[in-house]
Amino acid sequence: MASSTTAYWRGIRAALPFLLVVAPFGMLFGVVGTEAGLNLAQVMGFSVVIIAGAAQFTAVQLMQEQAPTLIVLASALAVNLRMAMYAASLAPHLGPAPGWQRILIAYFNVDGTYALSHMEYEAKPALTLSEKVGFYMGTATVICFPWYLATWIGAVLGASIPAGLSIDFAVPVAFMSFFAPALRTLPHVAAAVTAIILAILLQGVPYSLWILLAGAGGMIVGAELERRMAK
């Protein structure tokens, strides 16, 4: 119990820098969601149920464009498919945890909790299961719970913004901030450039399907280039 508690607080300390990202983007989503016509309960429902910034921004933007519900759901799911890879990577470390803990682990599986926990587990292979779970929950405490609060603050502030003041520009800016730091390799850059080009060329596709097509095209190019470089 003492070791897992120590790991929990170590996870909290490791995740503290993420507050610099979580707070402003959580507030931004609250404002954008309110600007899109959602009420406070609906905005909070997004952050509590989905708890994934990129997918939330995607869904709200498509909803503003009057895209069909199926397209909204499919696009948000496509953006969040990386979570499946995160889960597969964490399974060897956290898979043996009790069922109720695995449910919480799956719910809190976001970019920050995954990245910090995976690095911790790789650096310290001797950690026990309870220590691994404790560290993970420590990161989730700092990354996920402030996301709810920041969303609520943003939604409250968004309700006071004059109706004529549009902040639609904030959505693409947020996306660039999410993904630009991850473009570290040639396949990553190739995937991003391909997606941008396809997004521009496919603007005429109905129901905003250009988002799915551009994303799929970028992933195909990036994966193929990565495969060739691995040979």
Side-chain angles (χ1 to χ4, degrees), residues 91-98 102 129:
H93 302 285
L94 301 174
R102 293 201 304 272
L129 175 60

Side-chain angles (χ1 to χ4, degrees), residues 82-170:
R82 69 190 188 281
M83 303 302 175
M85 295 185 288
Y86 295 170
S89 179
L90 291 175
H93 302 285
L94 301 174
W100 68 271
Q101 290 184 351
R102 293 201 304 272
I103 291 173
L104 291 176
I105 290 168
Y107 173 70
F108 291 128
N109 183 22
V110 296
D111 296 314
T113 57
Y114 164 74
L116 290 172
S117 297
H118 187 263
M119 287 190 296
E120 176 78 358
Y121 303 158
E122 292 296 312
K124 300 176 181 177
L127 288 175
T128 64
L129 175 60
S130 62
E131 288 174 321
K132 290 179 178 179
V133 173
F135 183 88
Y136 185 92
M137 291 303 176
T139 64
T141 299
V142 174
I143 293 173
C144 298
F145 289 100
W147 176 260
Y148 309 143
L149 177 60
T151 298
W152 180 83
I153 293 173
V156 172
L157 293 176
S160 63
I161 295 178
L165 182 61
S166 176
I167 58 170
D168 292 345
F169 71 89

